[in-house]
Amino acid sequence: MNKKIQGLTIILFCGFLGGFSIFNLFTEQRSFSDAENRVLAQFPEFSWKRFFFDNYTADLEEWFTDQFIGRDTWIGVKAASERALGKIENQNVYFGHEDWLIGQVDIQDLTQSQKNIAKINAFAEQSEIPVSLMLVPTAAEIEKDKLPGGAYNTDQNVLLDSLEDQLTSVQIIDVRAALIQQKQRLNSEEALYFKTDHHWTAFGAEAGYEALMSAWGQTALRPGLDFTYQLAADGFKGTQYSRSGAFWHSGDPVWTWSYTDPLTVQVVYDQSQTDTSLFSLKRLAEKDKYMVYLDGNHALAEIETSSSSNEKLLVIKDSYAHVLIPYLAPHFRSITMADLRYYRLPMSELARQMGADRILLVYSVDNFCTDTNLSLLK
């Protein structure tokens, strides 16, 4: 009797998989998953060479997995089930209180950070231009009160203290106190970080901007007086949403702002694409609405402004800088942003060509500890 039940179970299971495989063949293939924010595998073209020598069956399995009917629904159901059973994270994203999705920061190996520190110190020592560095803590530190019980993260305060003590040749812009003060000022509809994404928001970057202006001996512009926020979009579902499978989340608001005293800008991306705004509003129609800030990732972004200042700023950065730089635009005649993931020419030469008066490095602390591209800093 048991053998009959086992046999029936096997037949039903094989029939289930076979049936879905046939359905998948006749269902329109998706090229991209908005929920997961990634390209999906397509049906692999068959050839005997690929079958015998190129692991064709693995490609077929990947296609079946990616194109499985109702894939996004199944992923969401799985994540919801695990959360209901008491699991506190999925894919290294914690299910936090008040619908927060907070990425885990677990930095055990500091080998790369030591290399980055040495490279930055050497670069700053050789530079005739003053160099400043801003390392931004993530939500796992500043919003740790939102984490579920039992969540583990590297203590970013201890880590930042250690890193900043070793960065002896640069001016450190410590944003922690400014972020905590800003958090106390915000209302319930505002946040320092996106609940569904790994970046800080316009309000978090405003705190970073204030810390930067204070360190540089300048006066920061005031919200409500010198600039006004506008709700640009709602329902932004970022990287933590895609990674965690928490597809029930409604998403985050995205804010832009305008200046009381009109500011004219011209932005040239990668020496080819031109814009007259610091905010790429067309990006709000896309899944990654964070790209509204200076059009997302580019190797080079060159900003010319109508600022009364004659100073020029070179920013070497990761994507945390994108929402920060629009605050700095009124204070500089020219700002050039370089991303070492894509831009390979020497930063010292770029600074000389543009006539930079200051150099600013902006990185999230977790990215700083793992980024291998700072080895190209020269």
Side-chain angles (χ1 to χ4, degrees), residues 32 34 232-237 254 280-292 295:
F32 188 83
D34 285 334
D234 214 340
F236 168 42
K237 300 171 182 177
V254 177
S280 299
L281 298 180
K282 62 184 180 182
R283 296 293 193 175
L284 295 174
E286 302 180 24
K287 200 267 185 185
D288 186 2
K289 292 176 172 41
Y290 186 76
M291 291 194 294
V292 70
D295 203 56

Side-chain angles (χ1 to χ4, degrees), residues 192-220:
L192 297 174
Y193 299 85
F194 292 106
K195 290 184 176 182
T196 67
D197 193 65
H198 65 286
H199 293 104
W200 53 355
T201 66
F203 302 111
E206 181 197 330
Y209 158 68
E210 291 176 351
L212 191 57
M213 290 294 98
S214 177
W216 286 350
Q218 298 187 36
T219 301

Side-chain angles (χ1 to χ4, degrees), residues 87-375:
K87 188 175 180 181
I88 64 172
E89 61 84 28
N90 191 34
Q91 299 292 328
N92 297 323
V93 177
Y94 289 114
F95 300 124
H97 306 303
E98 301 174 16
D99 277 340
W100 277 84
L101 301 173
I102 301 177
Q104 182 184 36
V105 176
D106 185 10
I107 301 170
Q108 302 291 338
D109 188 352
L110 296 177
T111 303
Q112 188 59 51
S113 66
Q114 297 303 311
K115 293 179 181 178
N116 293 341
I117 288 170
K119 199 67 179 180
I120 290 173
N121 280 335
F123 176 77
E125 288 168 3
Q126 296 170 7
S127 176
E128 297 178 356
I129 305 168
V131 180
S132 304
L133 171 66
M134 176 186 291
L135 295 179
V136 185
T138 73
E141 179 60 42
I142 304 300
E143 300 290 353
K144 57 188 175 185
D145 58 309
K146 306 299 194 306
L147 288 166
Y152 170 79
N153 286 285
T154 295
D155 189 326
Q156 292 181 52
N157 276 322
V158 173
L159 177 61
L160 278 166
D161 287 342
S162 175
L163 295 174
E164 292 175 357
D165 285 345
Q166 298 172 71
L167 288 157
T168 55
S169 300
V170 297
Q171 179 191 30
I172 299 297
I173 311 298
D174 195 322
V175 302
R176 286 174 283 180
L179 284 169
I180 292 171
Q181 291 173 4
Q182 177 79 317
K183 183 178 179 179
Q184 295 170 350
R185 294 195 294 260
L186 297 180
N187 62 44
S188 59
E189 303 300 317
E190 301 166 341
L192 297 174
Y193 299 85
F194 292 106
K195 290 184 176 182
T196 67
D197 193 65
H198 65 286
H199 293 104
W200 53 355
T201 66
F203 302 111
E206 181 197 330
Y209 158 68
E210 291 176 351
L212 191 57
M213 290 294 98
S214 177
W216 286 350
Q218 298 187 36
T219 301
L221 299 181
R222 297 158 297 176
L225 294 175
D226 301 310
F227 63 92
T228 305
Y229 285 112
Q230 296 96 33
L231 178 62
D234 214 340
F236 168 42
K237 300 171 182 177
T239 52
Q240 314 293 32
Y241 169 93
S242 299
R243 187 183 307 158
S244 67
F247 298 158
W248 57 83
H249 204 294
S250 60
D252 291 293
V254 177
W255 297 85
T256 57
W257 58 96
S258 57
Y259 292 101
T260 303
D261 293 332
L263 182 73
T264 302
V265 302
Q266 177 171 283
V267 189
V268 179
Y269 298 109
D270 299 326
Q271 300 180 327
S272 58
Q273 176 187 342
T274 303
D275 200 351
T276 56
S277 174
L278 299 166
F279 306 107
S280 299
L281 298 180
K282 62 184 180 182
R283 296 293 193 175
L284 295 174
E286 302 180 24
K287 200 267 185 185
D288 186 2
K289 292 176 172 41
Y290 186 76
M291 291 194 294
V292 70
Y293 304 114
L294 288 165
D295 203 56
N297 293 320
H298 290 274
L300 197 68
E302 298 166 286
I303 307 168
E304 299 292 332
T305 81
S306 59
S307 171
S308 60
S309 170
N310 289 318
E311 278 202 303
K312 298 181 179 181
L313 173 67
L314 171 60
V315 181
I316 304 166
K317 53 79 186 182
D318 67 10
S319 56
Y320 262 61
H322 298 176
V323 64
L324 172 69
I325 298 307
Y327 290 107
L328 301 180
H331 299 273
F332 292 91
R333 175 58 57 87
S334 174
I335 301 176
T336 297
M337 296 168 50
D339 192 324
L340 294 177
R341 291 173 294 180
Y342 317 109
Y343 190 85
R344 300 302 189 181
L345 297 181
M347 291 295 100
S348 56
E349 178 61 20
L350 179 59
R352 186 192 66 79
Q353 289 178 1
M354 65 170 291
D357 299 290
R358 291 182 180 274
I359 298 175
L360 171 66
L361 290 91
V362 179
Y363 285 85
S364 64
V365 65
D366 56 337
N367 192 34
F368 178 83
C369 290
T370 57
D371 193 309
T372 59
N373 296 293
L374 279 164
S375 63

